[in-house]
């Protein structure tokens, strides 16, 4: 099966193979082709060019994209999309004056979601999760990282990761799995944190490795959750199973977690709403991608990650949703891109780079995803008729997507 998309008003993020991320001032450039075509065979991009060179190219199906923009699908490198139930009561509690921390300290928050998930059977958890996955594919997301961390028992963590595996097998969207056992301290370990760390290290990690249920390991490195020492222990143990770190860090406090993550060769450090100069210094010269989650800042009314400062310091930046029931009940990357422009002062070019090629890098898949490149997966968004790509973040809150192709399949 081949598809030829013709008369594309502007084809975005057109790159040669071998570019795995864009950094600092490079992020200002978004390479594009005007009046272009794109040729897809099966699940792969095989050719592109300007319309004058399209003569003689044929395919099983042709899509006329006159007036439309085509870009790679979003690469959402940080989600907790597999969860049970919702937490809308906590949302109302926050409106009425409680803080996110207040709710967590009275046993709500992550522990609330963990209890619901433990009491939800695997098929129900799968059905609730795929409804979200189907929705985000319609919204233009073609690759996603999914974390565990709402199980907090060996059985429930494995249940979450089996659901992630099932999504990976049954949906065309690219899925990468991350083990986040160290997301919160379960009630039964309230006075025995080391006991829970031991459970993660001696029971959860070996089981997950045995069944090959995760590529990455994550820790919520934060005051009141897991300290630098706790994080160090888990990352050392995870290294024995070749799990690469992607760390929740600097959401509420900056206390050296970024340097620790970099020391452990983290692929990404995520959140960074609180960031100091030592953090920037630690990231310089590393291969670790900083990841901003502006929908989380929006929903919790906490500071936005200083993305402008990160890019102006010569660092790369990725954007992701953080889709989860507590801090970001939204998986809409279009909103993330708009919010990054509006609130973090990224240019549209920077935001699109951050949400495609750099997002792919932050989940280790940028050799195959994140740009319009010959040989990469045919994951593309075809917009409605819009005046320019600036219109995508500008006209926020509206759906500018006409069609989405993932692995060359219409969604
Ligand atoms: O990334 N910060 C830690 N974890 C999630 C939120 C967890 C929750 O509230 O359920 C996050 O924001
Ligand atoms: Fe998160």
């Amino acid at each position: 099966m081949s598809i030829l998309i013709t008369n594309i008003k502007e084809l975005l993020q057109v790159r040669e193979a071998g570019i795995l991320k864009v950094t600092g001032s490079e992020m200002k450039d978004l390479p594009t082709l005007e009046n272009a075509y794109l040729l897809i065979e099966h699940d792969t991009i095989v050719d592109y060019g300007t319309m004058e060179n399209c003569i003689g190219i044929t395919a099983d199906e042709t899509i006329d994209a006159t007036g439309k923009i085509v870009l790679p699908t979003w690469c959402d490198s940080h989600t907790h999309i597999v969860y049970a139930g919702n937490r809308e009561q906590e949302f109302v509690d926050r409106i009425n004056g409680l803080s996110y921390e207040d709710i967590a300290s009275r046993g709500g928050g992550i522990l609330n979601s963990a209890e619901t998930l433990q009491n939800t059977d695997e098929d129900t958890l799968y059905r609730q999760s795929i409804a979200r996955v189907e929705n985000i594919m319609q919204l233009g997301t073609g690759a996603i990282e999914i974390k565990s961390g709402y199980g907090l028992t060996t059985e429930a963590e494995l249940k979450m990761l089996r659901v992630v595996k099932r999504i990976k097998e049954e949906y065309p969207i690219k899925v990468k799995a991350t083990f986040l056992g160290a997301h919160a301290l379960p009630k039964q370990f309230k006075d025995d944190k080391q006991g829970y760390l031991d459970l993660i290290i001696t029971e959860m990690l070996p089981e997950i490795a045995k069944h090959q249920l995760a590529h990455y390991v994550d820790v919520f490195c934060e005051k009141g959750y897991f300290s630098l020492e706790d994080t160090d222990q888990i990352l050392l143990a995870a290294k024995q199973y070749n799990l690469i770190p992607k760390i929740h860090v600097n959401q509420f406090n900056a206390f050296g977690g970024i340097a620790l993550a970099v020391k452990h060769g983290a692929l990404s450090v995520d959140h960074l709403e609180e960031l100091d100069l030592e953090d920037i210094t630690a990231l310089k010269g590393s291969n670790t991608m900083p990841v901003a989650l502006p929908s989380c800042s929006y929903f919790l009314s906490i500071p936005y990650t200083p993305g402008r400062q990160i890019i102006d310091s010569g660092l790369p930046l990725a954007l992701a949703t953080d889709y989860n029931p507590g801090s970001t009940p939204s998986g809409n990357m279009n909103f993330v891109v708009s919010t990054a422009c509006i609130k973090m002062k990224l240019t549209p070019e920077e935001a699109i780079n951050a949400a495609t090629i750099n997002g792919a890098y932050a989940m280790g898949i940028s050799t195959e995803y994140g740009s319009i490149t010959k040989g990469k997966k045919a994951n593309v968004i075809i917009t409605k008729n819009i005046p320019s790509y600036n219109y995508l973040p500008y006209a926020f809150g509206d759906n500018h997507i006409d069609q989405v192709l993932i692995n060359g399949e219409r969604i």
Side-chain angles (χ1 to χ4, degrees), residues 240-258:
Q240 293 176 19
Y241 303 102
N242 300 318
L243 296 181
I244 296 161
K246 281 172 66 64
I247 304 298
H248 278 78
V249 71
N250 290 43
Q251 182 175 4
F252 301 108
N253 297 283
F255 54 89
I258 291 182

Side-chain angles (χ1 to χ4, degrees), residues 1-5 37-48 57-61 63 70 376-380 382 405-409:
M1 173 72 185
S2 56
I3 300 177
L4 178 64
I5 310 177
Y37 72 89
L38 178 70
L39 181 63
I40 293 167
E41 265 171 30
H42 305 291
D43 62 352
T44 305
I45 294 169
V46 295
D47 196 16
Y48 57 77
I57 298 177
T58 55
D60 300 327
E61 188 188 338
I63 300 174
V70 173
K376 282 199 181 182
K377 293 291 178 205
N379 282 19
V380 298
I382 306 173
L405 304 183
I406 299 183
N407 277 347
E409 279 175 40

Side-chain angles (χ1 to χ4, degrees), residues 57-348:
I57 298 177
T58 55
D60 300 327
E61 188 188 338
T62 300
I63 300 174
D64 180 5
T66 300
K68 297 170 180 188
I69 285 174
V70 173
L71 68 157
T73 53
W74 307 123
C75 296
D76 188 355
S77 66
H78 181 137
T79 86
H80 310 247
I81 202 169
V82 170
Y83 59 82
N86 283 296
R87 305 222 300 268
E88 63 268 33
Q89 185 53 49
E90 292 181 2
F91 168 63
V92 176
D93 292 343
R94 281 196 302 105
I95 294 169
N96 287 322
L98 287 181
S99 71
Y100 183 73
E101 289 90 336
D102 294 336
I103 290 166
S105 61
R106 64 171 199 189
I110 297 167
L111 296 184
N112 177 357
S113 287
E115 196 179 327
T116 311
L117 189 138
Q118 287 161 11
N119 296 323
T120 301
D121 68 76
E122 196 160 324
D123 277 336
T124 307
L125 181 61
Y126 175 73
R127 278 199 306 278
Q128 291 185 8
S129 304
I130 58 168
R132 299 179 198 116
V133 169
E134 288 169 8
N135 185 35
I136 61 157
M137 291 195 306
Q138 299 283 354
L139 290 169
T141 298
I144 188 174
E145 180 259 19
I146 309 178
K147 299 172 193 297
S148 72
Y150 288 121
L152 308 183
T153 64
T154 306
E155 193 195 321
E157 285 293 303
L158 288 168
K159 175 166 74 181
M160 284 188 84
L161 289 168
R162 283 194 301 268
V163 167
V164 176
K165 187 169 178 221
R166 206 165 142 195
I167 295 169
K168 187 189 302 190
E169 288 166 355
E170 294 183 18
Y171 281 82
I173 189 169
K174 175 73 176 176
V175 173
K176 286 295 220 180
T178 299
F179 169 55
L180 174 55
H183 196 193
L185 195 59
K187 277 192 199 106
Q188 58 276 33
F189 288 96
K190 191 163 59 71
D191 302 312
D192 179 20
K193 189 193 256 180
Q194 190 55 47
Y196 186 56
L197 295 176
D198 291 343
L199 182 76
I200 291 175
I201 292 166
T202 63
E203 204 176 281
M204 294 186 189
L205 276 171
E207 274 297 300
I208 286 157
K210 187 168 117 198
H211 299 287
Q212 297 187 318
L213 287 171
H215 289 95
Y216 301 118
V217 62
D218 192 349
V219 176
F220 188 13
C221 180
E222 183 55 62
K223 285 192 181 151
Y225 292 84
F226 295 92
S227 67
L228 292 178
E229 293 71 28
D230 304 334
T231 306
D232 199 41
Q233 262 191 67
I234 290 171
L235 297 189
L236 272 175
K239 204 164 278 176
Q240 293 176 19
Y241 303 102
N242 300 318
L243 296 181
I244 296 161
K246 281 172 66 64
I247 304 298
H248 278 78
V249 71
N250 290 43
Q251 182 175 4
F252 301 108
N253 297 283
F255 54 89
I258 291 182
L260 180 72
V262 168
K263 185 189 103 186
H264 281 281
L267 181 59
S268 72
V269 283
D270 303 35
H271 273 289
L272 321 186
E273 290 88 342
E274 299 296 331
L275 199 69
D276 57 31
L277 275 179
E278 286 93 89
D279 296 319
I280 300 254
T281 308
L283 284 165
K284 281 202 175 150
S286 78
N287 293 318
T288 304
M289 177 66 70
V291 180
L293 310 165
S295 299
C296 175
S297 299
Y298 177 81
F299 189 72
L300 292 185
S301 302
I302 60 174
Y304 285 87
T305 302
R308 190 66 272 142
Q309 186 195 351
I310 291 173
I311 295 172
D312 291 344
S313 307
L315 294 170
L317 183 73
L319 290 167
T321 61
D322 198 16
Y323 197 173
N324 76 74
S327 72
T328 323
S330 162
N332 189 340
M333 281 294 285
N334 307 284
F335 179 79
V336 165
V337 167
S338 273
T339 308
C341 294
I342 297 163
K343 294 293 186 184
M344 294 163 58
K345 301 281 175 246
L346 267 61
T347 64

Side-chain angles (χ1 to χ4, degrees), residues 6-56:
T6 57
N7 300 314
I8 302 166
K9 180 186 171 107
E10 197 165 7
L11 179 63
L12 309 188
Q13 193 62 300
V14 180
R15 293 188 185 269
E16 295 295 311
I19 294 165
L20 302 184
K21 63 176 172 185
V22 285
T23 297
S25 57
E26 292 167 1
M27 290 185 69
K28 280 196 175 51
D29 290 327
L30 182 68
T32 75
L33 276 181
E34 288 179 13
N35 193 24
Y37 72 89
L38 178 70
L39 181 63
I40 293 167
E41 265 171 30
H42 305 291
D43 62 352
T44 305
I45 294 169
V46 295
D47 196 16
Y48 57 77
T50 47
M51 279 311 288
E52 67 260 26
N53 296 318
C54 188
I55 297 150

